[in-house]
Amino acid sequence: MLLLTRPLLAQKQYVREQQTWLGIFNQTRFSQHWGSWTDLHLRLHDHFVQASYQTVARVGLTYYLTDDVRLTGGYAYVHHYPDGARTVGQPEHRPWQQVQWFTKFPKARLMQWVRLEERFRRTIRQNERTDDFDFNYRTRYNAALFLPLTKRGFEPGGWQFLLNNEVMMNFGKEIRLNYFDQNRLFAGVVYPLNKHAQVQAGYMHLFQQLPAGSTYRNQHTIRVFYFHNFDLRPAAPAAPAPSPAP
């Protein structure tokens, strides 16, 4: 019986979710080399919209090496709402650093970034928050390809197709089983409202390995983001497409 049950215990388990992600992003450029980053998120789950899942507030200071290459460092606060057997919320403090770059092609735009995060999550024991924190590093690589769908191209009023993928990996001494964290694959449309703002909407599939190691989240997500750029430099040129990821 032991020989028969061991393969069953080793089988992978899948948790299926339906979520809705809403986000607001802003990048403000103050001078030739300095600017700021802000993004706010509300994530709902349980048949897409029936319960709160997570909120994220992220800020950062950006240094522009060039118009198309940027370095950013900042802080994010994440609140994980009660979920499953956990009946208390879990706060997370997340310093982060990032390099981001844009590439322009005759009929396409490509945005990429590499991000490093230091994640401090309040420890939950017996459904109570403790004064301790779990800690690990996480790296993220994100690539977003914009393709015009109408004659207006990337100008205001023109529709674009967006294909976006982001891969996340965990590392640190507290990581034992889930070195692979998650993959987010998004496909949707982009509508530029003007030279400084755009709306993105579409479908995202998230595949995540949970800390148990043999349990995976298979998540179907409706994602709607609003992006806005401010350029406060005198006679500032038109800003490139805002960065399309959480």
Side-chain angles (χ1 to χ4, degrees), residues 18 23 38 69 113 125 141 224 232:
Q18 300 88 34
T38 304
V69 181
W113 78 40
R125 292 193 180 96
Y141 170 70
V224 181
L232 304 182

Side-chain angles (χ1 to χ4, degrees), residues 165-223:
N165 194 66
E166 185 171 18
V167 181
M168 305 184 189
M169 301 293 294
N170 296 314
F171 65 99
K173 65 180 182 179
E174 296 186 16
I175 300 299
R176 294 291 184 269
L177 299 173
N178 58 322
Y179 291 99
F180 167 77
D181 181 45
Q182 59 184 273
N183 188 85
R184 300 175 181 177
L185 178 62
F186 173 84
V189 293
V190 180
Y191 183 75
L193 301 171
N194 52 54
K195 290 184 177 181
H196 306 285
Q198 63 176 227
V199 176
Q200 301 176 5
Y203 166 80
M204 183 180 75
H205 180 261
L206 184 150
F207 183 75
Q208 181 179 23
Q209 183 179 16
L210 299 178
S214 60
T215 304
Y216 296 84
R217 174 177 283 121
N218 189 22
Q219 180 177 309
H220 304 279
T221 307
I222 298 170
R223 200 180 89 177

Side-chain angles (χ1 to χ4, degrees), residues 81-125:
Y81 286 88
D83 185 29
R86 179 170 53 80
T87 59
V88 296
Q90 184 182 35
E92 177 181 338
H93 304 280
R94 190 186 295 176
W96 60 284
Q97 306 82 40
Q98 173 180 287
V99 56
Q100 178 187 28
W101 64 100
F102 296 84
T103 307
K104 298 179 181 179
F105 302 100
K107 295 185 178 181
R109 299 288 186 271
L110 179 65
M111 188 286 302
Q112 300 176 80
W113 78 40
V114 175
R115 180 181 294 178
L116 174 65
E117 298 174 324
E118 297 81 38
R119 305 182 67 188
F120 298 85
R121 294 182 302 284
R122 184 66 64 89
T123 303
I124 306 293
R125 292 193 180 96

